[in-house]
Amino acid sequence: MHDAPPDTTPNAPEPKYHALALLSGGLDSLLAIKVLQEQGLRVLGLHYVSPFFGKPQLLGHWREEYGIEAVNVDVRREYLDMLVRPAHGYGKHLNPCVDCKILMLTHAKTLLPKYGASFLVSGEVLGQRPMSQRADTLNLIRKDAGVKELLLRPLSAQKLGPTPMEESGLVDRSRLPGIWGRGRKDQLALAAHFGITTIPTPGGGCNLAEAEPAARYLPILKNLAEPASRDFSLSHLGRQYWAGGYWLSIGRNQHDNAALETARRPTDILLRLRDLPGPMALGRQYEPAAGVHPGQSPHNWPADVLADACAFAASYSPKARTQSAEGAEAGRPVIMLVRQGKGEAEIVTEISVTPARQTPLGWTEPKSAALAAWKRRS
Ligand code: SF4
């Protein structure tokens, strides 16, 4: 694909924005915009939002604190499709940084006409990150996103070849920095130059690049052919346990319990002790090979699996572990209420179980070690 060069003819109408910039909210993305604003260029930040990153509520903060205009851009569905099989693999955790950048830049290019802008900006710094900011990777991202002639990386401009925007004089290359490497000294000096005193993190925060959330996401990727945003959102709620394709989220407090109630879908089950205080548990089933199990329980969970889940969830109630509903000795059965469906369609049944942390199904928490092993195999 051949990119059209920026329109710099003398009589071209004044564009509303000269450039669109990827704005994660991290320091580098802010600085990339500031160095262009300093040249009198108008830059609109594109704040991409996915189930894993994005702080759409910060648009006002960026405007007031840094003088940067931005809009939110939601790419949830496209992002999930990419995350299942990123062409260039994952980084340290579940972060598909190369494909992520390609996706955002490819999308940003389509927005140029809408905002009358002629080029794209990103805050990448040559050599700053091992996977996505090596020279060869920066070139690959530019090429695969089809933005070879349209993308300016102002922070490392002096270390990279001149772009058409610099060659045409639209951007004054001599006033762009040449930052490279993993240090932060130059960025902090530049931040001081712009009077930025509230220093955000370098990247802006991405759960895919963090060990604990990435471990929680793995079973979803392994068990679901087409995971949805709501699945990843649920993985942040309460304690997480999996047994094959069965998934239990167990509330740790009232806030979690209320959030689980809100998160439930008609096909989910909600578990709670009938007579004792204890957590709410939400069960979601993903058993693609087995499909639904008609007739085995009113909730489409096989009866033995449902009883196992109830016993396990009940074990998170201290009262249930130490007494029965009638106040008798430990180890006596308790009654769990099982709810499925919503409103008039809701089915409520009762199951008698003995609370047990060790059950035949062996519910396990997602662990970072499993993620490392899965990445080695895949
Ligand atoms: S850290 Fe997250 S948001 Fe940033 S490039 Fe990597 S995957 Fe994308």
Side-chain angles (χ1 to χ4, degrees):
M1 193 186 309
H2 186 74
D3 303 320
D7 183 358
T8 56
T9 51
N11 294 325
E14 189 72 353
K16 185 152 188 239
Y17 295 103
H18 295 97
L20 301 181
L22 303 188
L23 174 66
S24 67
L27 179 60
D28 295 356
S29 65
L30 295 169
L31 291 174
I33 295 176
K34 295 305 287 181
V35 297
L36 294 176
Q37 284 182 335
E38 194 177 40
Q39 296 192 15
L41 294 164
R42 288 184 295 280
V43 184
L44 178 69
L46 302 178
H47 183 60
Y48 278 85
V49 178
S50 81
F52 314 103
F53 53 80
K55 298 188 177 94
Q57 72 281 11
L58 290 186
L59 294 191
H61 169 71
W62 293 322
R63 188 173 51 247
E64 282 152 33
E65 183 79 28
Y66 307 113
I68 290 175
E69 292 293 330
V71 291
N72 291 318
V73 186
D74 195 316
V75 285
R76 283 162 212 267
R77 189 62 261 166
E78 302 95 300
Y79 205 91
L80 292 178
D81 292 343
M82 176 275 286
L83 182 66
V84 174
R85 262 176 294 283
H88 301 286
Y90 302 100
K92 188 171 176 197
H93 301 295
L94 260 185
N95 44 315
C97 291
V98 175
D99 294 85
C100 174
K101 286 277 166 58
I102 291 170
L103 184 150
M104 288 195 265
L105 287 168
T106 304
H107 188 270
K109 182 181 167 184
T110 68
L111 297 179
L112 286 172
K114 177 175 177 183
Y115 293 104
S118 58
F119 70 99
L120 298 172
V121 176
S122 94
E124 292 152 303
V125 168
L126 180 64
Q128 185 168 95
R129 299 212 179 144
M131 177 182 175
S132 60
Q133 298 188 9
R134 290 191 322 242
D136 57 339
T137 317
L138 289 182
N139 279 334
L140 180 146
I141 291 171
R142 215 167 54 136
K143 183 167 153 287
D144 283 14
V147 296
K148 222 166 159 211
E149 309 295 311
L150 294 173
L151 178 63
L152 176 67
R153 292 165 167 134
L155 297 186
S156 288
Q158 298 291 342
K159 300 287 177 197
L160 301 168
T163 62
M165 292 69 79
E166 294 157 282
E167 286 171 336
S168 70
L170 178 62
V171 178
D172 183 350
R173 180 176 171 84
S174 70
R175 295 174 64 193
L176 296 178
I179 302 173
W180 66 280
R182 304 182 67 117
R184 304 292 299 158
K185 205 161 56 63
D186 291 341
Q187 283 93 324
L188 292 175
L190 203 50
H193 168 73
F194 289 118
I196 294 177
T197 49
T198 309
I199 307 287
T201 53
C206 170
N207 280 331
L208 293 167
E210 302 288 333
E212 205 262 343
R216 286 177 172 233
Y217 300 150
L218 177 63
I220 300 173
L221 282 185
K222 278 166 60 175
N223 286 293
L224 278 72
E226 288 188 15
S229 292
R230 59 176 173 261
D231 298 309
F232 293 101
S233 304
L234 177 60
S235 75
H236 286 281
L237 287 181
R239 299 179 171 90
Q240 296 283 305
Y241 296 98
W242 285 80
Y246 298 96
W247 176 10
L248 271 186
S249 304
I250 302 179
R252 283 171 297 207
N253 49 44
Q254 287 193 347
H255 174 268
D256 283 351
N257 291 347
L260 288 171
E261 177 95 47
T262 305
R264 80 159 159 158
R265 298 161 57 211
T267 50
D268 292 335
I269 55 170
L270 271 185
L271 312 176
R272 184 148 221 180
L273 284 154
R274 188 189 66 183
D275 307 307
L276 293 168
M280 179 89 76
L282 186 149
R284 192 165 284 182
Q285 178 194 1
Y286 294 107
E287 195 70 270
V292 173
H293 303 263
Q296 295 193 51
S297 84
H299 309 284
N300 292 331
W301 281 48
D304 57 333
V305 175
L306 188 57
D308 194 291
C310 286
F312 185 70
S315 77
Y316 282 90
S317 161
K319 288 264 190 212
R321 279 204 313 275
T322 56
Q323 66 175 58
S324 73
E326 294 76 32
E329 71 272 20
R332 294 284 299 273
V334 293
I335 304 295
M336 290 293 279
L337 291 178
V338 184
R339 295 160 55 197
Q340 187 182 31
K342 284 190 166 179
E344 290 185 2
E346 185 175 72
I347 305 168
V348 183
T349 50
E350 297 183 358
I351 298 185
S352 174
V353 293
T354 302
R357 201 59 65 87
Q358 306 298 327
T359 68
L361 274 188
W363 297 91
T364 53
E365 273 185 291
K367 291 273 190 297
S368 298
L371 176 59
W374 178 74
K375 281 165 61 181
R376 275 196 300 276
R377 282 197 303 274
S378 57

